[in-house]
Amino acid sequence: MAFKLTICCLIVELAFSLIEVHPPDQDSSPKNFIIFTVASENNDAYQRYVRSLRHFGMDNSLITLGMNQEWKGGDMRKAGGGYKVNLLKEAMKEYKDEQDLIVMFTDSYDVIFLTDINEILDKFYKTGANFVISAEDWIWPDRSLKSQYPKIEGKQYLCSGLMIGYAETFWEILNYKEISNTYDDQLYYTHVYLDSDFRTKHKLQLDGTTELFHNLHGTLEELNMGYGNQRISNLKYGTMPAVLHGNGPMHVKLDLNRISNYYPHVFNPTAGEFGECYTCNEDRIDVTENPPVILTNLYVKERTPFIDYFINKTFELNHPRSRWHLRIYNLAPSHTSHLQELINFHVYDDNNSEKFASFELFQPEDIQVKELQALYEYGMGECTQVKCDWYFGLDSEITITDNDVLSDLMSYNKSVITTQLTIPGQYWSNFWGGVNSDGFYKRSDDYFDMVLRKRRSVFNVPYVSSLVAIRSDVIQSKKVAYLNERFSDSNYDVAFADNARRNNVFMYVVNTKQHGHLKKMENYTALHTNNDLWQIFVNPTDWKLNYIHKDYSKFLEFKRYQFPSPCPDVFMFPLVTEKFAWHIVHELESIPNIFSSGQNQDTRLAGGYENVPTVDVHFTQINFQQEWLKVLRDYIMPVQRRVFEGYRADGRALLSFVVKYHEAGQRLLKPHHDHSTFTTNTALNHRGVDFEGGGSFFIRQNCLVGDAPVGWTLIHPGRLTHYHEGREISRGTRYILVSFNDP
């Protein structure tokens, strides 16, 4: 069990035509076979080990020693483990005289089985040995013994994590000499094996060519992963090992974790379009009949685009509020007043909604602990205080789009789990497929396939963040924590993952269902009142989610004749949300003296003169023109091609502006043609509420379009055929967004 950190992470993808071993129909464990292991706790790693046995019908042969007992074997990262030998010695007393009994010993936390007992016994009998011990290329823990090893084919040095043999022989081995609990177990078995007289007498062998056992340390490049209807095979020796052991340092354990995402019979990436997950529903539970008590913490660490969506969506998630504790930790002073308004609406002013079991909003001045590690540690610890069954930590960079995300994650019943979230169009995600020796990102060979959802399953990964669900018993065990002196405070998430890995707490990411995505947080300016309007290039998916009308996509399926057409060659479609309309109006009204005077003289224009002036704001005045052109190209032009067939717009608009009609100012607009090939006119507020009258009257067609819902857009020819005017309003203020397209 050497700890040298040299390993090749290239998995050879050449395929052997080998058949995977499928589980037997019933328990196939022969009566003359038992398996011993040592495990002090029923953790994730142990459960994986048992699951691999159960898959092949061998779990009834398992005898676990030391469960729920104090570990007395010392620090296994160093020399130690004699406790395992002494436990085995005591347990073997009742089996020592059974001549035909085959006894297998394996470690548990870093071991999985790859085949059934029939193949294992067949391979053992063919060795002709009484006892077979696994082998590796690394000598541990006493390198001075190297010269005493006999030369054999394949790997030369003993690894005591995997062994099999006759009970009588095993009993003799265990009684070779007395050792303390903290004596090194591998050194003990090494002394036994290097005793040439004892080795010969009892017919001891090392499995040098990995017929039975494969130790992963330093040997990953020897393996062909197989997949599909194939088996893991050793390319170097042409063998198919029966048991896989992730012996050695942490990076080897992580290699085993990644392999165990596929074996035994876990996930087949070659089946179907997205692979076939055999275990996705294996241990799932129904959390709807008796909903767990949950604590959900929202962390706003910095200025966040679309913060209102993040908050509002949380309140829409499906879970009974009577069994839901909610906390919001805001570290961004610029969000203080806005968050308070949102909370007032959702919590204090909403008399019709079910009340939360408890709720607290912590503003920057309320948070005494400013260090992120300490804050997240405190927040997670609240789970114990409120006696929650599940804890959820949600960072404000996430965007949730599925209201069942909480129940979906809990249903998998994992210690720690997240749903895959990525920045749309990028490979940046909230999980890592691998980590380097410093605990930071390292790309795994399957990472891209996971991020692109070409492989859909529940994956054991070394790091999760942004939306983390943790079962309460794991929190109570103190095996997960954000406090970690190895990492800087800003790397609180890396610190958490490191602690989990070291304590055999598996972290999972599920990507079988799309629950949301990540936002980009950089370059979020504070130049405007509604800064989200300018996010269309940075976070286009969120911009669409917040600002494009929910029914817009339906109209892309329409034929020309299916579009509402209040006048000849005048069509209507839903373009933007009421939120967009409110934000753009609010943005303009928050800028003093931004609207023009409505006079013919207009210095904003190249010629300085407007023939048919309006009281308006050009988007060039607020640096929104490029953003609007993207709306034109991405959302208006696809509709234009459907209603005006045979014409493909250039995506140009020299004039895009918001017009303000007011009862005490400009009330109407005289007849005119637009300087465009086609014009769009979008309603920004409510007729009958914000204003009365108004509308677009097309003179030649003798047709008035008076009542367009907020966010709906008229699209019509600008020149020649559609001479029109803006009808007079009789009360209030009317806002419209006009764009002269393809001038």
Side-chain angles (χ1 to χ4, degrees), residues 658-678:
V658 171
V659 178
K660 177 180 180 180
Y661 296 105
H662 189 265
E663 61 184 54
Q666 183 178 13
R667 301 166 69 101
L668 55 81
L669 187 61
K670 66 182 184 180
H672 62 282
H673 282 297
D674 295 334
H675 186 54
S676 68
T677 301
F678 70 95

Side-chain angles (χ1 to χ4, degrees), residues 177 298 472 525 622 699 716 733:
K177 66 179 179 180
L298 311 186
S472 63
T525 66
I622 59 170
I699 297 169
H716 60 83
T733 305

